[in-house]
Amino acid sequence: MIPNESVGTAILGALPSLLSFDFEPVGRWFEAHHRRAHSLHSHSHHSLDDSSSESEEEEEEDQFDEEDESLLLRLDPKEWKKQDHYAVLGLSKLRYKASDDQIKRAYKQKVLTHHPDKRKARGKLVKEGDDDYFTCITKAYEILGNKQKRRSFDSVDPEFDDDVPISSKDNFFEIYRPVFERNARWSTKKRVPKLGDENTPFDEVNTFYSFWYEFDSWREFSYLDEEEKEKGENREERRWIEKQNKAARQKLKREEMVRLRQLVDNAYACDPRIIKFREEEKEKKNAVKRAKQEAVRQRHFHLSLISPPLKKRQEILETERKKKEREEEAAKAQVKKSLLVYQTCLLLRFLRTMYNFEDFEYFASTDEEKILMMQDVDKVAELLSLTNLQELNENLTKGKDSAKDAFLNKLKLVNQQIEEEKRQQLELTQQKSVGDHQNVRKLWSEAETQTLIKAVNLFPAGTQDRWEVIANFISQHVSGSNKNAKDVLSKAKELQKNDMKLRDEVRKNAFSQFEQSHKAAKSGDMEKPSERLESVGEQQVRELGTNSAPWSADEQKLLEQALKSYQPSEPDRWDKIASAVPSRSKKDCMKRYKELCELVKAKKQAQTAVAAKNKKS
């Protein structure tokens, strides 16, 4: 429609219908437009951003290693596990800091240059199959391109320095700061505290050492496995390989933790901030101690100012106390003296009254009875108590018959007291005789004493229920023995008290029993006096192949060492053991071994019996 002021509006024709088309945004220009739209940047800012990103890419490429074909030619594809994968891809400068994109670009560059087809096109010699060094490039990307495998390789990075500095107070921060920063890469926690400097607050220093003493490392050593589990032919073999690899990893992990702990210990020992803090703490403690001492001194000083009146008051109290004690002692002595005087008066009154009974002939009809009655008077006067004596004096004044009855009653009472004392003394004597009889009944025989000495050595101090076990051991080896734990303990103390004398007697008796049982031949029975004098044991070894002499400590040690050296599966075991003990034959060694076995068995039986007895009780 064309507007016309003179004519007006007119319709010339109809517009065609609208058409819809689908467009897909692609290309780097659309990407640039998308970034500008979302970040609200202008075209000029985007152009600067592109230039900066290109410069960053150039800087990253500058961090790649220079092409060194001689390094690749020296690689052995069969020893790919020993190669430095970062160096193979030209990432020696970046190493574990290299990003996944940088690893991909480095690998592409190596492929474009060292692929066998590219080298053949340039006319270079290429080995067949996996013998070509390009296999090492592929293996390097296979390791570093996989996160898990790269983590395993980074754990054993050959360029990582595992050294631990020796404790040194000089240049502490210069020496230990790079070491801690280097080892911080193994932390599972991302925020690792810094070492700081001399002015770092102690709270931060304490946090730093607490973190490193509880350091949690992700470092693992699966890359060093000697065998791969997948190479096992069956499930059992794969499990065995995994078990071996796991044991080796745990050992390396323990060594790694020991290394880190040694690093932290060395740093903590020579950290000047820790040393300063310790000195300050020590000074604080000494200051508190000095303050306490000063307070005590001041207290004594103030007490010394008021001590004269206090001391005088204490002396007065002490004097009064002593005076009161003397008065109490004097009163007790006076009472005791009064009682003694009163008793003496009563006694004299009794004797005077009895002597006045001459007219009655002391209540007796004959001279013999008179003499006996006079003895009874002395007995009553000596043994009758003060109360009874007073009562008797009152009854003696009531007439002859009353006096005689009272006297005879008191005499009867005195005789009963005497009889009671005699009975008690007889009971004590009988109890003592019974105890002596029991002690005599439990006499120790020679066999029991020897067995006791052997059991004391066999069951040392510290054995549970030791004396009950020894008593049980003696009852097992000596028929008719009825010794209990108390008897054994008493006999052991007696042996310890009379150690030398009793043991000499036991040895003599044992030797005499040995001579009687074996009927050893005496040296005087030799037919030819010119023959070499031999001991009984040597003669038996020469004639019968046995030596019945007691085993010495050196022989016992040799036998025990030989038993350990020659196992039961050893051929001709007892011949070798006998050769290790020159003074004993094969039969002696076997016999001694059986004795030791029986001894150990008897020891176990005795302990088991006592344990069962205690369990029942």
Side-chain angles (χ1 to χ4, degrees), residues 84-182:
D84 186 356
H85 300 305
Y86 287 111
V88 171
L89 295 182
L91 299 172
S92 298
K93 299 178 182 178
L94 296 174
R95 303 197 71 79
Y96 71 95
K97 296 180 181 179
S99 63
D100 295 340
D101 185 61
Q102 289 172 336
I103 293 174
K104 288 180 182 179
R105 286 193 282 111
Y107 175 65
K108 288 180 180 179
Q109 290 181 6
K110 293 295 181 182
V111 170
L112 293 174
T113 306
H114 299 282
H115 194 275
D117 295 340
K118 300 291 184 180
R119 284 184 289 149
K120 285 181 181 179
R122 291 196 300 269
K124 293 185 177 182
L125 181 62
V126 178
K127 296 182 180 180
E128 296 181 358
D130 295 336
D131 294 335
D132 190 69
Y133 71 84
F134 185 74
T135 305
C136 297
I137 298 175
T138 307
K139 201 68 179 178
Y141 180 71
E142 180 183 344
I143 298 296
L144 300 181
N146 185 291
K147 290 185 178 180
Q148 185 176 357
K149 293 182 179 180
R150 182 184 180 185
R151 187 185 184 94
S152 178
F153 175 73
D154 287 341
S155 297
V156 295
D157 191 347
E159 295 297 326
F160 180 75
D161 187 6
D162 284 332
D163 293 338
V164 176
I166 301 175
S167 300
S168 175
K169 298 180 181 179
D170 301 331
N171 302 325
F172 171 78
F173 297 100
E174 289 77 5
I175 293 174
Y176 281 93
R177 182 179 286 108
V179 179
F180 279 106
E181 291 177 355
R182 186 168 63 242

Side-chain angles (χ1 to χ4, degrees), residues 73 79 95 105 135 168 196 217 287 366 391 441 571:
L73 292 174
E79 299 294 335
R95 303 197 71 79
R105 286 193 282 111
T135 305
S168 175
S217 174
T366 62
E391 182 182 353
R441 185 171 56 84

Side-chain angles (χ1 to χ4, degrees), residues 8 42 110 205 220 257 268 284-285 316 350 510 539 574 604:
S42 62
K110 293 295 181 182
V205 176
E220 49 95 9
M257 298 310 297
Y268 191 85
K284 289 180 181 178
K285 291 181 180 179
I316 293 173
F350 166 71
Q539 291 178 6
W574 290 106
K604 291 182 178 179

Side-chain angles (χ1 to χ4, degrees), residues 13-277:
L15 293 175
S17 61
L18 297 177
L19 300 177
S20 62
F21 296 94
D22 295 333
F23 293 96
E24 183 178 357
V26 294
R28 57 175 181 162
W29 300 111
F30 174 78
E31 183 181 2
H33 169 72
H34 181 73
R35 284 203 303 269
R36 286 197 306 273
H38 281 271
S39 57
L40 301 178
H41 290 164
S42 62
H43 286 279
S44 59
H45 185 277
H46 181 65
S47 62
L48 292 175
D49 190 22
D50 291 342
S51 62
S52 63
S53 62
E54 291 176 0
S55 62
E56 289 178 359
E57 291 180 359
E58 291 177 358
E59 289 178 1
E60 289 180 357
E61 290 179 357
D62 291 340
Q63 293 180 355
F64 292 171
D65 299 342
E66 296 181 0
E67 187 66 30
D68 187 5
E69 189 173 355
S70 61
L71 172 65
L72 299 176
L73 292 174
R74 291 196 301 269
L75 296 175
D76 185 3
K78 296 180 181 179
E79 299 294 335
W80 62 268
K81 207 166 188 177
K82 297 180 180 180
Q83 71 184 16
D84 186 356
H85 300 305
Y86 287 111
V88 171
L89 295 182
L91 299 172
S92 298
K93 299 178 182 178
L94 296 174
R95 303 197 71 79
Y96 71 95
K97 296 180 181 179
S99 63
D100 295 340
D101 185 61
Q102 289 172 336
I103 293 174
K104 288 180 182 179
R105 286 193 282 111
Y107 175 65
K108 288 180 180 179
Q109 290 181 6
K110 293 295 181 182
V111 170
L112 293 174
T113 306
H114 299 282
H115 194 275
D117 295 340
K118 300 291 184 180
R119 284 184 289 149
K120 285 181 181 179
R122 291 196 300 269
K124 293 185 177 182
L125 181 62
V126 178
K127 296 182 180 180
E128 296 181 358
D130 295 336
D131 294 335
D132 190 69
Y133 71 84
F134 185 74
T135 305
C136 297
I137 298 175
T138 307
K139 201 68 179 178
Y141 180 71
E142 180 183 344
I143 298 296
L144 300 181
N146 185 291
K147 290 185 178 180
Q148 185 176 357
K149 293 182 179 180
R150 182 184 180 185
R151 187 185 184 94
S152 178
F153 175 73
D154 287 341
S155 297
V156 295
D157 191 347
E159 295 297 326
F160 180 75
D161 187 6
D162 284 332
D163 293 338
V164 176
I166 301 175
S167 300
S168 175
K169 298 180 181 179
D170 301 331
N171 302 325
F172 171 78
F173 297 100
E174 289 77 5
I175 293 174
Y176 281 93
R177 182 179 286 108
V179 179
F180 279 106
E181 291 177 355
R182 186 168 63 242
N183 285 274
R185 61 182 285 193
W186 309 124
S187 176
T188 56
K189 300 178 181 179
K190 298 301 180 183
R191 294 184 180 181
V192 180
K194 302 295 183 181
L195 179 62
D197 52 20
E198 296 179 352
N199 300 322
T200 303
F202 181 76
D203 292 339
E204 296 182 8
V205 176
N206 190 27
T207 302
F208 173 80
Y209 283 107
S210 298
F211 176 85
W212 280 95
Y213 271 118
E214 298 175 359
F215 188 78
D216 186 11
S217 174
W218 59 263
R219 194 176 187 184
E220 49 95 9
F221 302 91
S222 59
Y223 188 81
L224 300 177
D225 292 347
E226 295 184 1
E227 297 186 51
E228 296 181 8
K229 182 176 69 173
E230 291 75 11
K231 292 183 179 180
E233 296 181 357
N234 49 46
R235 183 173 60 181
E236 286 74 15
E237 186 174 355
R238 287 192 292 271
R239 285 182 177 177
W240 183 85
I241 294 173
E242 179 64 22
K243 183 179 180 181
Q244 297 297 320
N245 292 337
K246 186 177 180 180
R249 294 175 203 165
Q250 289 178 350
K251 181 180 178 182
L252 294 173
K253 185 70 174 181
R254 286 194 296 269
E255 294 176 356
E256 172 67 7
M257 298 310 297
V258 170
R259 183 187 71 85
L260 291 173
R261 184 59 181 262
Q262 185 64 39
L263 169 63
V264 182
D265 287 342
N266 292 352
Y268 191 85
C270 60
D271 193 334
R273 300 167 298 183
I274 301 297
I275 296 174
K276 181 180 178 181
F277 173 74

Side-chain angles (χ1 to χ4, degrees), residues 354-452:
M354 293 300 297
Y355 291 153
N356 289 333
F357 279 110
E358 290 184 7
D359 298 337
F360 304 107
E361 297 178 352
Y362 294 101
F363 310 117
S365 57
T366 62
D367 293 337
E368 294 179 357
E369 292 179 357
K370 184 177 180 180
I371 293 173
L372 293 175
M373 187 62 70
M374 292 177 67
Q375 293 177 356
D376 292 338
V377 169
D378 295 336
K379 187 192 300 183
V380 169
E382 182 180 358
L383 299 178
L384 201 61
S385 64
L386 184 63
T387 305
N388 292 326
L389 187 61
Q390 183 179 2
E391 182 182 353
L392 179 59
N393 286 335
E394 293 178 355
N395 293 328
L396 288 177
T397 59
K398 295 180 179 179
K400 179 180 178 182
D401 296 334
S402 298
K404 182 177 180 180
D405 294 337
F407 177 77
L408 293 177
N409 289 334
K410 299 302 180 184
L411 178 61
K412 183 178 180 181
L413 180 62
V414 171
N415 290 331
Q416 288 177 355
Q417 292 178 357
I418 294 173
E419 291 295 332
E420 181 66 20
E421 292 178 359
K422 288 182 179 180
R423 188 182 61 79
Q424 293 179 357
Q425 186 66 27
L426 181 61
E427 289 180 355
L428 291 175
T429 306
Q430 290 176 353
Q431 290 178 359
K432 185 176 180 181
S433 63
V434 170
D436 295 339
H437 177 70
Q438 289 179 352
N439 292 334
V440 171
R441 185 171 56 84
K442 286 196 175 183
L443 293 176
W444 283 74
S445 63
E446 195 62 37
E448 289 177 335
T449 307
Q450 294 178 9
T451 309
L452 172 61

